[in-house]
Amino acid sequence: MRNAEDFSHASRITHHASRIMHYICLIIIIIISLTSKSMADVHHGISFYDTFPGKIALTFDDGPDPNITPQILDILKENNIKAAFFVSGKHADKYPEIIKRTVREGHTVGNHTYNHINMKKSDPDTILKELAMTEKSVNKALGYDYEFKYIRPPWGEYNDSVEKLIFASGKELILWQIDSEDWRNLGKSWTIDTFNYESQKGGVAVFHDTCQETPEALMEIIREIKLKFLTVDELISEKYSKKNPVLIYFNNKPAGNNCILINNLVLMSVSFFSKETGINFIHDYNKKEVIFAGSNYRYSITGKEAFISAEYLVKDFSLKMIENDKNINFYYPSIFLNGIPLYKKSFIYKDYIYILAKDIEQGITLNGESNKELKPVESSGLLYIPVCSLLELKGNKSNIIDISLP
């Protein structure tokens, strides 16, 4: 018969094997997710640079704490405000009842790693382990698998690799615009003054439900603040919502959902712009960039489409924008060569007109001298040659450009 020590040893082996299989499965999920990313992916995170004038979402990091978190929950309940709590896994293990109350009262729980690690200085395996341990702690406290959506790196320390890892895990990166600096522990007045100064731009506010002065400062802030309280979910919905798309046109045709407004910035569907102009980009899905003629352009993903800032298109592709009180109309110039239309066979890039190489007779003398230093540009496997600069067409102010070449 096997003795107790044998059974204990076998139990330990089984336990370790189970943990190893758990992490292998996690890594496989990440790899599958990374290799299957496409333009249809939706990333609805919040960066340090977003703005939400007149609106605010409260978030709390590092808890739960047995003394401070319940006070904050009381204040939020009294004022009918929902917040997001980015919890530390090791604290969730100690205070499961507070986790239960947080979720029961309608607040969101986010992942702040188990040991409050610096994700920027950590390897992927460590980050995944920390996030998985926190999820396990929260799930154990609740008695079921909680749907984690949001991750906040401790201290806001992250880089492109961390961001990719978070997105690949199916979660969203949530940063902030308003730092109350309650973590400095310089007193209630310091926290309130700092918050009031920072909150002018609106957005996500970060507090810590581990700081003694935070509940009292929070009460006064809520009482005096003039901003509208929203949840992180609602801010994200507002950031990525399609506002008045029927008021945006392209060459006098309604752009519909091919254009969106985010924080009053116009974004245009990459595929829509390519279809309308014949200009095709190379996509770098990992970096969320499109590349054209060696230049990289960042894009945002919402719905099932990638959107590029219209500012890039106006600046580098001579897209014209006419805006009035009722609508925005974008125009892309129609280019003719010796009176022959070159629709989707030519384009303007960085103030130079490029024409499909096969449409230009060999041995032709091109206008201008400066274009001799320019290289041909490839788009969708076709070669385009620079023929003249917009500066050489000083008299042209319309959306029709007719180039005369011998």
Side-chain angles (χ1 to χ4, degrees):
M1 291 180 64
R2 299 173 66 185
N3 58 29
E5 185 177 345
D6 291 333
F7 278 113
S8 176
H9 179 66
S11 177
R12 286 197 299 272
I13 291 175
T14 302
H15 175 70
H16 289 312
S18 176
R19 291 186 66 183
I20 290 170
M21 285 303 298
H22 173 73
Y23 290 120
I24 289 175
C25 289
L26 267 178
I27 292 170
I28 290 172
I29 290 170
I30 295 298
I31 291 172
I32 292 172
S33 182
L34 277 170
T35 55
S36 64
K37 285 292 168 186
S38 70
M39 298 292 283
D41 294 321
V42 181
H43 296 325
H44 283 171
I46 291 180
S47 74
F48 287 124
Y49 309 106
D50 293 321
T51 58
F52 302 92
K55 302 175 180 69
I56 186 171
L58 297 179
T59 65
F60 300 88
D61 290 3
D62 297 353
D65 178 272
N67 299 313
I68 298 166
T69 307
Q71 293 182 58
I72 290 174
L73 289 171
D74 288 342
I75 294 168
L76 296 175
K77 186 175 183 179
E78 181 181 346
N79 291 277
N80 194 29
I81 296 171
K82 305 303 180 187
F85 289 79
F86 290 88
V87 303
S88 165
K90 64 181 180 182
H91 292 151
D93 275 339
K94 293 179 182 177
Y95 311 110
E97 290 303 318
I98 300 178
I99 295 292
K100 287 181 182 178
R101 179 185 171 186
T102 301
V103 174
R104 185 172 64 247
E105 295 184 358
H107 303 291
T108 299
V109 172
N111 199 322
H112 204 46
T113 75
Y114 191 88
N115 291 297
H116 204 269
I117 64 168
N118 187 324
M119 296 173 79
K120 189 176 181 179
K121 296 180 179 179
S122 303
D123 61 80
D125 288 342
T126 299
I127 294 172
L128 290 175
K129 180 180 177 182
E130 286 275 331
L131 296 174
M133 289 169 65
T134 301
E135 289 194 13
K136 183 179 178 181
S137 299
V138 171
N139 292 339
K140 182 179 178 182
L142 295 173
Y144 62 87
D145 289 345
Y146 182 77
E147 186 183 355
F148 277 89
K149 295 189 291 184
Y150 303 139
I151 293 173
R152 173 173 288 166
W155 304 287
E157 289 288 331
Y158 78 104
N159 52 27
D160 286 344
S161 297
V162 173
E163 184 179 18
K164 290 174 189 174
L165 197 64
I166 290 173
F167 287 161
S169 70
K171 309 299 190 298
E172 302 298 345
L173 180 70
I174 304 296
L175 301 172
W176 61 86
Q177 291 74 48
I178 305 164
D179 187 353
S180 68
E181 296 193 6
D182 56 350
W183 52 270
R184 291 185 183 273
N185 294 312
L186 295 176
K188 178 186 75 172
S189 296
W190 170 274
T191 299
I192 293 171
D193 288 346
T194 304
F195 174 87
N196 287 338
Y197 176 77
E198 290 282 316
S199 66
Q200 295 176 24
K201 56 196 169 194
V204 176
V206 59
F207 293 86
H208 297 78
D209 53 333
T210 52
C211 298
Q212 294 292 336
E213 304 285 349
T214 298
E216 194 175 346
L218 183 64
M219 280 194 295
E220 190 165 327
I221 285 170
I222 291 174
R223 186 167 58 243
E224 300 295 334
I225 197 169
K226 304 299 182 185
L227 302 179
K228 180 181 180 181
F229 286 99
L230 298 178
T231 63
V232 170
D233 283 346
E234 288 170 332
L235 283 188
I236 285 175
S237 177
E238 178 170 302
K239 175 181 175 181
Y240 292 93
S241 64
K242 296 177 175 64
K243 302 177 182 177
N244 299 326
V246 296
L247 302 180
I248 302 178
Y249 298 80
F250 192 99
N251 287 342
N252 279 325
K253 296 182 294 183
N257 289 339
N258 293 303
C259 285
I260 59 176
L261 286 170
I262 295 179
N263 292 334
N264 295 320
L265 295 176
V266 180
L267 301 184
M268 185 173 290
S269 159
V270 174
S271 61
F272 172 71
F273 181 75
S274 296
K275 180 181 176 183
E276 292 294 320
T277 61
I279 301 172
N280 290 285
F281 299 89
I282 298 171
H283 293 268
D284 186 331
Y285 300 111
N286 291 327
K287 292 183 179 179
K288 290 182 289 184
E289 291 179 337
V290 287
I291 305 164
F292 186 81
S295 295
N296 296 47
Y297 302 92
R298 292 278 290 178
Y299 61 70
S300 300
I301 303 177
T302 184
K304 294 184 178 180
E305 186 58 272
F307 288 85
I308 185 172
S309 169
E311 290 183 12
Y312 296 147
L313 305 178
V314 169
K315 173 177 169 288
D316 284 355
F317 294 87
S318 293
L319 188 66
K320 295 182 180 180
M321 179 175 71
I322 298 176
E323 186 173 1
N324 57 38
D325 293 338
K326 295 183 178 180
N327 59 58
I328 299 171
N329 206 338
F330 289 97
Y331 293 93
Y332 195 72
S334 297
I335 302 172
F336 291 76
L337 175 61
N338 295 338
I340 300 172
L342 297 178
Y343 178 60
K344 293 187 179 181
K345 292 183 177 182
S346 64
F347 54 79
I348 300 173
Y349 182 62
K350 293 190 175 179
D351 293 330
Y352 261 84
I353 299 173
Y354 288 78
I355 293 178
L356 198 58
K358 66 179 184 179
D359 287 343
I360 300 177
E361 295 179 8
Q362 295 226 354
I364 198 168
T365 302
L366 302 180
N367 291 347
E369 294 294 324
S370 56
N371 62 337
K372 290 182 179 179
E373 298 178 1
L374 293 176
K375 297 179 180 179
V377 169
E378 186 176 312
S379 177
S380 194
L382 299 174
L383 199 64
Y384 291 80
I385 294 176
V387 295
C388 66
S389 73
L390 292 181
L391 294 176
E392 295 168 17
L393 302 171
K394 294 177 183 177
N396 184 82
K397 294 184 179 180
S398 69
N399 291 310
I400 296 177
I401 297 174
D402 194 349
I403 308 166
S404 297
L405 295 179

